[in-house]
Amino acid sequence: MATVRELSDETDSAISTRGLRKTFRSVRGRSVGVDGLDLDVPVGGVHGFLGPNGSGKTTTIRMLLGLARPDSGTMRIFGHEVPGALPLVVGRVGAIVEQPKFFPSFTGRRNLELLAGAIGAEDRMVGTVLAEVGLSERSRDRYRGYSLGMKQRLAIAATLLKDPDLLIFDEPTNGLDPAGIREIRETMRGLGERGKTVLVSSHILAEVAQVADTVSIIGRGRLLAQGSVDEIVGRQSGSVVRVGIEAPDRAVEVLRAAGLTARVDAGVVLVDGVEDASEVTRVLAGSGLFVRDLTTLRADLESVFLELTAGERPGGFVPDDGPGSGADGSAARGPGAAEPAPLTGSLKAVSKHGRHQGGVS
Amino acid sequence: MRLLRVELLRFRSRALIRWGAAGAVLIGLLFVFGAYQSSAPVPQAEIDAARADYDEAVADWEENGAEYTAECEEEEAAEKENDPTVDFGCEDGGPGEWSDWIGGTSSFSDVGLELVDVAGVVYLMVALVLGVTFSAAEMSTGAISSWLTFEPRRRRVYWSKLAAAAIGVLPIVAVALGVVVGGAWLAFTLNDAQGSMTTGAWAGLAWVLARTLLGAAAFAALGVALGVLTRSTAGALGLVFAWLVVVEMIFGTMEFFGGLKRFLLAVNTQAWVSGRATYYTETCVASDDRGIDCTYAEHVVPMTQGGLVLAVLVVVVCVTAAVTFRRRDIA
């Protein structure tokens, strides 16, 4: 009989969701938390799960871990459909959902001992993981006396009790000081380099951009883009070339005549969608215009994120008798919502909205 | 079994549980102190004063007794014109026996069982509170979400908590009851007031203790279920308090709800612990002379009914909490 670990090797996805939908009822009506999410997290490496606050990241993670029930859709972890098969795979999944939550009156060590007891881990594992996160000396202090950074480290220690193949960190650096943020980032990177799959959800671009191999961007519970960081940046926004030149207006005329998209901005010429910067210099030189300086501006993940999530306000309300889920598990969409674009290769640019607006913290 | 072991470890590690255990023992010591006081010999000064009062009453009766009796019989005869059944008890006048004047001291055989009855009900409430704090703390701190990422089978998680609380309170209540019984016996012995405890009396006491322990386990489970349902210690205890005040103390004393008195939690708990409980109903009708005639009836609730009512209550609440916990989203 095949083991769980062997069975999981049959899939390339650590996490896979299809048509995942979750709504919340309140006195104001029903709000959509996750709206037909198709998420794929490849096995191995760090996967960033990006979205503005309230975009459905935590709700998705809670559903994956069996803490919340989806209205419809399917979820798989290492090929096993969850939450039904969670008992089979939970030993391979370590998770910190939002803030670490332990018993405040127990020591850090006692909290871990209880969790270790629940999964039958050996007692010595508790000491090992506490040492691994640098909490050995404070392990007999009550949890309520821990700083936020220590709480995060204890939570990471808890996840390591299982020696998991998949680690899920939900907003792991919230409230941490710069040193704590760096520590968490290095931990995630280290785990990814050891072949673990790390899913890190965040609304902070810088945090994810530095460690993620692949990312998924969601807004209002829907997938907006998915793929490697380079793919998303490259696909979503072409390069812009900035040209310093004596006669910018004349240069724009020449470039436009050559079929390029050019404009003057603050005394410099900006040429959009340039595949090869030498094309710009060749056209200008051909007209007797010589470039003083030339810079290729590539879009970064943040600009792509802002572009994709512009207008994606969190959780709009729909009436109680509003659009529900289809019988096939597909999510119903409100009027005017963007339809998913076809997926191309590993890059899945799903929808694109308006201009940049707002920002991320 | 693994989960149960871990939950038992958590149960005994909780500071509040330890404080609760200490409180239960302290309550037991208070019962012992009361037992010592009630069985202590009457001080000589009180005896001398009572003797003086008694002698004075005897002398007065010897001098005026006949006159007092005649007055009494005269008033009784006058009253009999209105109510032929009236009896003033004039023939029983007089100072009575000397033993009536010095006040009695109680013995273990007289009050031991009653003491354990009262303590038993108190300890059921303690078990309920311990059960509530055990589960509500986990819900309110959010630690349950960490727990479920280690063991996602909610049914197992829930029943292990229930079982742990039910088992965990047993040594606490057993020790506390031991303090009450052992301490009271010692207190009565120190005052040379053991009385005559027969084998049957000891057996009756043992049954009360056994039923109290069983009831404590059930009340602890009930507390866990209430904690799961309300997700807050204050909420669960508030619910219990509101029930006691509104249902047991207000509705329970209204004659309008007389027929429902047999199902009151307090009555049935007492019946289970003590073996039987009594409650009274009042029936009033308009009389011929435009007054109201009221009759009072005593009703007995047997132990079996008490046990059955409590069992139904515990099962219904525990199953409701199980279904709720299984379906609820965890924050």
Side-chain angles (χ1 to χ4, degrees):
Chain A
M1 187 176 157
T3 65
V4 174
R5 205 166 282 256
E6 285 166 349
L7 285 171
S8 73
D9 292 340
E10 294 171 9
T11 175
D12 291 335
S13 289
I15 294 172
S16 169
T17 72
R18 290 293 176 269
L20 193 61
R21 179 178 168 86
K22 174 73 176 175
T23 57
F24 299 99
R25 285 175 186 277
S26 73
V27 289
R28 293 166 58 200
R30 186 187 295 169
S31 63
V32 180
V34 176
D35 190 6
L37 182 66
D38 296 337
L39 177 71
D40 284 295
V41 177
V43 171
V46 180
H47 186 89
F49 191 28
L50 294 169
N53 283 330
S55 58
K57 303 185 297 295
T58 299
T59 302
T60 302
I61 289 171
R62 288 173 59 221
M63 286 192 284
L64 282 166
L65 296 171
L67 299 176
R69 298 160 67 90
D71 296 349
S72 60
T74 59
M75 303 176 286
R76 289 179 178 276
I77 294 180
F78 293 126
H80 297 270
E81 191 155 342
V82 294
L86 256 183
L88 281 175
V89 293
V90 76
R92 302 178 61 193
V93 181
I96 307 171
V97 186
E98 294 181 305
Q99 296 299 311
K101 288 164 184 166
F102 293 99
F103 294 104
S105 60
F106 288 171
T107 64
R109 175 175 286 276
R110 176 46 58 92
N111 269 299
L112 293 194
E113 283 170 349
L114 292 171
L115 293 172
I119 56 170
E122 293 177 21
D123 285 347
R124 65 178 176 79
M125 275 297 289
V126 173
T128 303
V129 296
L130 281 168
E132 204 163 327
V133 298
L135 271 182
S136 296
E137 289 182 8
R138 301 291 302 274
S139 67
R140 298 196 186 277
D141 291 357
R142 288 183 192 277
Y143 175 75
R144 69 160 61 98
Y146 280 11
S147 67
L148 195 54
M150 290 166 68
K151 288 176 178 175
Q152 285 285 14
R153 280 191 276 160
L154 186 71
I156 291 173
T159 64
L160 297 178
L161 279 173
K162 300 192 234 184
D163 188 22
D165 296 318
L166 168 64
L167 291 110
I168 300 174
F169 296 127
D170 183 19
E171 305 281 2
T173 58
N174 270 4
L176 294 184
D177 58 20
I181 290 172
R182 171 180 284 191
E183 206 170 303
I184 296 287
R185 200 164 54 219
E186 286 171 357
T187 300
M188 289 190 293
R189 187 180 286 150
L191 290 166
E193 285 168 358
R194 280 160 53 188
K196 310 284 187 186
T197 305
V198 179
L199 174 69
V200 53
S201 100
S202 181
H203 64 282
I204 303 173
L205 267 298
E207 177 180 300
V208 172
Q210 293 180 56
V211 292
D213 303 304
T214 53
V215 295
S216 297
I217 300 176
I218 69 168
R220 295 178 75 170
R222 291 193 296 266
L223 185 70
L224 303 177
Q226 189 163 262
S228 73
V229 174
D230 288 343
E231 284 171 334
I232 286 185
V233 170
R235 168 77 178 228
Q236 209 62 27
S237 302
S239 298
V240 176
V241 171
R242 191 180 67 182
V243 183
I245 198 164
E246 285 297 322
D249 293 332
R250 168 77 181 130
V252 166
E253 282 175 25
V254 170
L255 290 167
R256 284 179 178 167
L260 294 166
T261 307
R263 59 199 153 92
V264 178
D265 185 6
V268 297
V269 176
L270 296 176
V271 190
D272 294 321
V274 177
E275 294 291 327
D276 182 359
S278 66
E279 172 76 1
V280 175
T281 56
R282 191 180 59 75
V283 168
L284 292 172
S287 300
L289 298 169
F290 297 98
V291 172
R292 189 175 58 232
D293 62 77
L294 185 143
T295 310
T296 300
L297 306 173
R298 284 194 63 82
D300 60 6
L301 187 58
E302 181 165 343
S303 63
V304 174
F305 177 85
L306 291 171
E307 191 175 341
L308 286 170
T309 59
E312 295 289 348
R313 288 184 300 103
F317 283 91
V318 296
D320 265 350
D321 56 353
S325 304
D328 60 351
S330 62
R333 292 171 189 279
E339 287 300 318
L343 306 183
T344 308
S346 59
L347 168 65
K348 304 160 190 174
V350 179
S351 65
K352 185 174 177 179
H353 296 266
R355 301 177 60 80
H356 296 186
Q357 70 179 48
V360 290
S361 52
Chain B
M1 285 306 288
R2 179 194 292 163
L3 279 182
L4 180 58
R5 267 201 306 275
V6 176
E7 290 291 359
L8 281 170
L9 173 63
R10 185 168 77 82
F11 187 87
R12 68 170 187 262
S13 300
R14 279 182 59 74
L16 212 57
I17 300 290
R18 291 177 179 174
W19 280 107
V25 171
L26 187 66
I27 291 169
L29 291 173
L30 289 175
F31 277 108
V32 172
F33 180 70
Y36 182 82
Q37 291 285 80
S38 70
S39 61
V42 181
Q44 190 57 46
E46 277 184 35
I47 295 174
D48 293 344
R51 185 79 220 182
D53 292 343
Y54 177 71
D55 290 344
E56 191 180 323
V58 168
D60 180 55
W61 185 255
E62 284 172 356
E63 185 181 339
N64 306 308
E67 185 185 341
Y68 294 156
T69 304
E71 281 177 11
C72 176
E73 288 172 346
E74 191 178 329
E75 289 172 5
E76 183 184 66
E79 189 62 30
K80 275 191 175 178
E81 289 178 8
N82 294 327
D83 181 4
T85 63
V86 78
D87 182 3
F88 281 14
C90 301
E91 63 278 12
D92 297 328
E97 299 297 322
W98 159 236
S99 59
D100 298 337
W101 285 72
I102 54 170
T105 56
S106 56
S107 67
F108 187 83
S109 59
D110 291 336
V111 300
L113 198 58
E114 193 181 329
L115 197 66
V116 176
D117 284 349
V118 177
V121 173
V122 171
Y123 289 139
L124 295 194
M125 292 299 115
V126 170
L128 181 78
V129 172
L130 294 183
V132 165
T133 69
F134 182 61
S135 62
E138 192 169 13
M139 302 291 157
S140 59
T141 59
I144 187 68
S145 64
S146 299
W147 194 245
L148 289 174
T149 61
F150 277 69
E151 175 48 89
R153 287 169 288 202
R154 295 196 188 188
R155 198 181 299 169
R156 289 187 185 199
V157 168
Y158 173 77
W159 291 111
S160 67
K161 292 181 190 307
L162 220 68
I167 295 170
V169 296
L170 290 180
I172 295 171
V173 175
V175 168
L177 286 171
V179 168
V180 172
V181 175
W185 174 256
L186 185 66
F188 282 105
T189 302
L190 286 174
N191 289 324
D192 196 21
Q194 301 96 320
S196 53
M197 283 294 286
T198 61
T199 308
W202 281 115
L205 186 64
W207 276 116
V208 170
L209 294 175
R211 288 198 301 271
T212 303
L213 282 174
L214 192 58
F219 270 62
L222 182 66
V224 169
L226 288 174
V228 167
L229 282 172
T230 60
R231 290 180 279 188
S232 148
T233 301
L237 295 183
L239 192 68
V240 172
F241 183 74
W243 175 276
L244 290 177
V245 171
V246 176
V247 177
E248 304 282 327
M249 293 171 71
I250 297 177
F251 289 167
T253 55
M254 290 181 178
E255 289 309 320
F256 179 76
F257 298 105
L260 297 176
K261 281 186 175 178
R262 62 187 294 107
F263 298 111
L264 287 177
L265 187 58
V267 170
N268 285 284
T269 303
Q270 190 65 59
W272 171 251
V273 173
S274 307
R276 70 195 286 274
T278 54
Y279 68 93
Y280 300 89
T281 54
E282 182 185 31
T283 307
C284 296
V285 293
S287 63
D288 295 340
D289 57 353
R290 294 187 177 182
I292 295 175
D293 281 342
C294 293
T295 55
Y296 298 90
E298 182 185 271
H299 306 272
V300 174
V301 175
M303 181 196 70
T304 46
Q305 185 202 305
L308 195 64
V309 168
L310 292 184
V312 168
L313 172 72
V314 170
V315 168
V316 167
V317 175
C318 288
V319 170
T320 303
V323 173
T324 305
F325 180 64
R326 190 143 183 261
R327 299 186 60 82
R328 177 194 283 159
D329 286 351
I330 304 293

